[in-house]
Amino acid sequence: MTTTALPKHARAVVVGGGVIGCSTAYHLAKLGWGDVTLIERKQVSSGTTWHAAGLVTTLRDTESQTWLAQYSLKLYEELEKETGQATGFIKCGSIQLAIDEHKAEEMRRGCAMARTFGVENKEITPGQVKELFPLAYVDDLVTAFHFPDDGRVNPADVAQALAKGARQNGVTIVENTKVDDVLIENGKAVGVRTEKGDVKSEVVVLCPGMWGREVGLMCGVDIPLQAAEHYYLISEPIEGVHNRLPILRDPGRCVYAREEAGKILLGFFEPLAAPWGVEGIPENFCFDEIQPDWERMEPHLERGMQRLPILFDTGIRQFFCGPESFTPDHNYLMGRAPFVDSLFVACGFNSLGILSGGGAGYVIARWINDGIQPMDIWDVDIRRIQPCHNNKSFVVDRTYESLGIAYQMHWPNRQWETGRNIKKSILHDRLTAQGACFGESAGWERPNWYAKTGQKPEYDYDFHRQNWFDNNADEHRAVREAVGLFEQSSFAKILVQGRDAERVLNRICTADIAMPIGKVAYTQFLNIKGGVEADLTVTRMTNECYLVVTAAFTATHVRAWIVENIPQDVACVITDVSGAYAMLSVQGPNSRALLSQISSATFSTESFPFGTMQQIEVGYQSAFAIRIAYTGELGWELYIPTEMTLGVYDRLVEVGGEHGLKHCGYHTLNSLRIEKAYREWSHDMGPTDTLLECGLGFTCAWDKPGGFIGLDALREQRLSGPLKRRLVQILVDDPEPILIHNEPVLRDGERVGFTTSAGYAHTLGASAAMAYIKHEEGVTDEYIVTGNYTLEQADRTYNARISLTPMYDPTSARTRS
Ligand SMILES: Cc1cc2nc3c(=O)[nH]c(=O)nc-3n(C[C@H](O)[C@H](O)[C@H](O)COP(=O)(O)OP(=O)(O)OC[C@H]3O[C@@H](n4cnc5c(N)ncnc54)[C@H](O)[C@@H]3O)c2cc1C
């Protein structure tokens, strides 16, 4: 029952009684965590949840987000039977409309992928749209897609049903009580402080919706989100409008529509939004609306109503504006908070909180209960957030763009336009002068490709070959045949130091890092199930100092993983030195000759073998060089103190011409590594892919003293017969198509997986990709070679070859020579 009495102790405290908090408490209770207290500052659902439009549509961008929606749909359908509280669920289906060929292509691709994830959908004609939704104007449609299983709910009732189900299973819900602080002792959340007293607990889960940033600041966790105005209108009753009408989603006009008690509800995702509550959300906010700015919205209104022209002749009963929170990359903020034990977060749902809420609560509860995430949710994992993302001006500025992105074109390689230039390398201006077209990752501006003379360094987006295709081809060729220069200063660089640094790292690295000074290990961090949590290099700099290098976007996760695995009372500290060093990677067969010309060091195989590090000098400057390659060619990474970088760069460029040096961007790094079947963490491997499944078992020091986290799981998997899923490389026969990722893979006509990353393999002459192939009886070498493979993209099918080994492989000859 709802009570105002606040317990002194609970096994878990959930902060926030919106759909997410209620779902989390419900699922914890279902897992036997009866002793859960949910604390809500006002009343259940009184934040954002009560006024949501309640669409539960399942076409989402990724497998995990699709799963969250599918789970929610099923849960909301069944919740009334279990709790006696209706959710207003109606399986009305949904239709998505395309008004131009680009959107049609995007949707065909998305729908092909969604079918792989079990989302039923069918392309339909404008005439069929009219049959399903007679009030719709369809003359401008190119095509449409029907999702018969989608549905809608009454969000306030969903929250109440989840709350009721939670209470029935022992959860205490305390309303009208604000959490003022999260109690932390020795880096662990141990409860919360409220105006009515403290509640001690083993676990704290923050589900505070648009109050997320504010609540995060209480406990030092970056939760970057910002509320924005979010609109819909409800018409007067219209004859013939009934609750079986499907939901209509119209990205071209940035609107959606559904029936609402015989009326039409028309909702908006305008391209340029308006942040709200920037100076703070009013203390008394409870079931409140926002004063609408209809002047700003008028053009969107006009355009949206054209989809249902009857609205022009019908009165508008209600203009509604309510706040919803949006995040800088339009993905949720879920999972284990970094750097604070026993603290979990689930908020920032970007107007998708109802349709994801059931699944989100399930995932968080399972994560807490099992000590490990039940599925790979990296795209929404809070550990992708960097401190710079929580800068208030940035969050506010990005919100203008973030709200509308859901209904914009989802172009491959699309770059954010707002909130740019947070971090620039010291070479930024020089690279601009070279024609760099920058993309953003983890706040860093990074050259993605270099424009030729007379070409603008700007993207011309397309689903097929984009305007940088030829630039990429030239850069790719330069690395294969001469030498390429990559500016990769964004790499996260972490020093792990102390008497026990070796012991700490050896427990979490798959490789044996009890190695001589100057040796470099390519290694992974695994979880207890053998899933890959990080992919990195570890270099022994001195006896008590290691340098850990990883991709910029994984910096928070990797740092947190190390910190969490430093036992008490050992001598080991970590320091992020990412900004202290720039990194220039010199890759290609001529890299040796080039570096030999600018440095007195010896770069021969004997003096400077693969997988080693040496301090080198370049003119007056010094750097440490690591012989390693992510390109499949001979190459070195130069880590240069930032203040010495200009000199080294200038020298490289000065003499580079003699060796065929070419500036190369991240798109080229990607095309080279995919051609060589090098994996990228978060695409080709993640927490639910074991090291064996992703084909990196060779990094394991199986017999190292003390083992490492995940070793037992890998041993068990090794003994349990052929792997049921394995990562393979794919090459399409047709040289024309551009693969992106998420393309379904078929073996003898049967779906066996989908691509995880892709790029144009210029040396091989076609698009290549990585993909997990699944087969219950085992993905054996024989299984691989005996199948005929095809790839689906939109409504097209391409023949393809697949291989467990890299199709481009001059490995020994070139990389290690
Ligand atoms: C106009 C509109 C239409 C929408 N339509 C849809 C839709 O069709 N489908 C869909 O999936 N989503 C939709 N959404 C989005 C959806 O409503 C939200 O994503 C979802 O409700 C978020 O749930 P929540 O639990 O995270 O946040 P909330 O519902 O806001 O819950 C957070 C709760 O935390 C409480 N809280 C905060 N701080 C504290 C504290 N310090 N102590 C105690 N309690 C605290 C708040 O009072 C609040 O009740 C829509 C949103 C809007 C505005």
Side-chain angles (χ1 to χ4, degrees), residues 494-506 512-522 537-549 611-615 624-626:
I494 302 159
L495 291 180
V496 182
Q497 291 169 287
R499 200 180 52 236
D500 297 310
E502 178 188 302
R503 191 177 125 203
V504 168
L505 280 179
N506 237 355
D512 189 354
I513 57 95
M515 53 197 182
I517 293 168
K519 193 90 182 83
V520 183
Y522 170 55
T537 58
V538 175
T539 301
R540 187 160 212 160
M541 308 296 287
T542 68
N543 213 26
E544 294 191 359
C545 176
Y546 288 89
L547 174 74
V548 172
V549 175
T612 62
M613 178 279 295
Q614 286 183 32
Q615 293 285 344
F624 52 90
I626 291 182

Side-chain angles (χ1 to χ4, degrees), residues 156-408:
D157 290 343
V158 167
Q160 291 298 348
L162 288 164
K164 191 169 176 194
R167 278 191 225 105
Q168 285 168 347
N169 288 284
V171 172
T172 303
I173 297 182
V174 183
E175 296 183 304
N176 299 309
T177 305
K178 187 178 173 201
V179 169
D180 294 321
D181 204 357
V182 178
L183 303 174
I184 296 174
E185 285 172 13
N186 299 324
K188 181 180 185 305
V190 294
V192 295
R193 174 149 301 154
T194 78
E195 54 209 354
K196 297 177 184 161
D198 293 356
V199 185
K200 291 290 190 123
S201 65
E202 292 170 27
V203 176
V204 176
V205 192
L206 305 178
C207 307
M210 63 183 168
W211 290 262
R213 186 168 180 278
E214 182 184 305
V215 171
L217 291 176
M218 290 176 190
C219 48
V221 179
D222 294 317
I223 306 182
L225 53 76
Q226 169 62 46
E229 297 173 358
H230 201 24
Y231 290 85
Y232 57 69
L233 61 80
I234 297 177
S235 72
E236 292 293 347
I238 298 174
E239 211 182 305
V241 171
H242 55 84
N243 68 11
R244 295 281 146 188
L245 279 180
I247 294 160
L248 210 56
R249 294 202 293 156
D250 183 3
R253 292 176 188 275
C254 305
V255 288
Y256 62 87
R258 72 158 172 84
E259 182 269 355
E260 169 71 24
K263 313 168 201 84
I264 289 287
L265 181 155
L266 188 72
F268 301 86
F269 277 89
E270 69 278 13
L272 197 62
W276 175 82
V278 172
E279 299 312 324
I281 296 160
E283 188 61 30
N284 290 329
F285 189 95
C286 177
F287 294 115
D288 280 348
E289 300 182 22
I290 305 177
Q291 187 60 35
D293 178 354
W294 287 112
E295 204 178 321
R296 178 175 78 76
M297 290 302 291
E298 203 182 316
H300 307 297
L301 215 67
E302 169 94 15
R303 194 165 151 68
M305 284 165 69
Q306 285 163 0
R307 178 60 63 212
L308 300 173
I310 194 166
L311 291 176
F312 289 112
D313 305 320
T314 311
I316 303 301
R317 178 167 285 191
Q318 189 187 5
F319 284 125
F320 182 85
C321 177
E324 162 66 336
S325 57
F326 293 87
T327 62
D329 62 359
H330 199 78
N331 279 334
Y332 328 143
L333 299 167
M334 283 176 56
R336 254 171 77 201
F339 307 111
V340 185
D341 274 356
S342 308
L343 184 65
F344 287 77
V345 177
C347 55
F349 278 87
N350 300 288
S351 206
L352 302 170
I354 306 302
L355 66 86
S356 318
Y362 169 85
V363 166
I364 295 293
R366 279 283 308 276
W367 201 331
I368 292 168
N369 187 65
D370 303 349
I372 186 165
Q373 65 268 57
M375 58 193 289
D376 183 354
I377 57 146
W378 175 253
D379 50 326
V380 295
D381 194 320
I382 186 148
R383 291 182 176 223
R384 74 186 184 284
I385 296 303
Q386 316 275 334
C388 67
H389 292 135
N390 207 24
N391 172 292
K392 187 161 173 183
S393 303
F394 165 73
V395 180
V396 172
D397 286 355
R398 180 55 68 78
T399 302
Y400 286 96
E401 189 182 2
S402 174
L403 181 147
I405 204 74
Y407 276 36
Q408 303 296 301

Side-chain angles (χ1 to χ4, degrees), residues 585-783:
S585 184
V586 184
Q587 300 284 320
N590 295 352
S591 55
R592 175 173 286 140
L594 170 58
L595 290 172
S596 300
Q597 195 175 340
I598 64 164
S599 170
S600 54
T602 307
F603 293 88
S604 66
T605 302
E606 301 71 39
S607 303
F608 208 147
F610 185 80
T612 62
M613 178 279 295
Q614 286 183 32
Q615 293 285 344
I616 66 164
E617 290 182 356
V618 177
Y620 296 148
Q621 285 80 30
S622 54
F624 52 90
I626 291 182
R627 169 113 184 259
I628 201 138
Y630 194 49
T631 57
E633 301 301 333
L634 176 72
W636 279 264
E637 293 177 348
L638 308 182
Y639 292 81
I640 313 158
T642 305
E643 66 278 18
M644 294 188 180
T645 304
L646 296 178
V648 177
Y649 170 84
D650 288 344
R651 190 76 186 114
L652 277 165
V653 173
E654 195 183 331
V655 301
E658 296 168 37
H659 304 275
L661 181 76
K662 195 163 185 57
H663 283 75
C664 299
Y666 269 81
H667 289 332
T668 297
L669 196 63
N670 198 43
S671 61
L672 290 161
R673 71 103 188 152
I674 286 177
E675 188 165 65
K676 185 66 175 67
Y678 285 149
R679 283 83 169 128
E680 182 174 352
W681 192 81
S682 88
H683 286 287
D684 312 315
M685 55 179 146
T688 51
D689 308 310
T690 74
L691 196 71
L692 300 179
E693 289 164 349
C694 66
L696 294 179
F698 68 88
T699 72
C700 276
W702 294 97
D703 301 319
K704 78 173 164 182
F708 53 87
I709 297 171
L711 175 62
D712 292 345
L714 293 188
R715 282 201 175 125
E716 202 177 306
Q717 192 174 40
R718 252 204 323 189
L719 294 174
S720 65
L723 294 166
K724 295 183 167 101
R725 58 193 293 274
R726 281 173 92 176
L727 193 69
V728 299
Q729 192 189 27
I730 303 188
L731 185 70
V732 287
D733 290 351
D734 185 340
E736 199 50 35
I738 297 292
L739 300 182
I740 299 167
H741 67 86
N742 278 346
E743 288 92 2
V745 180
L746 289 83
R747 181 184 185 275
D748 298 335
E750 189 193 328
R751 280 161 194 262
V752 288
F754 59 93
T755 58
T756 49
S757 65
Y760 201 87
H762 291 278
T763 318
L764 297 173
S767 272
M770 312 293 289
Y772 280 97
I773 302 296
K774 288 185 202 158
H775 181 53
E776 267 312 302
E777 280 77 53
V779 183
T780 58
D781 293 1
E782 196 203 339
Y783 176 81

Side-chain angles (χ1 to χ4, degrees), residues 444-455:
W444 284 92
E445 295 295 325
R446 311 187 311 180
N448 275 348
W449 54 279
Y450 288 85
K452 300 175 187 201
T453 312
Q455 183 185 16

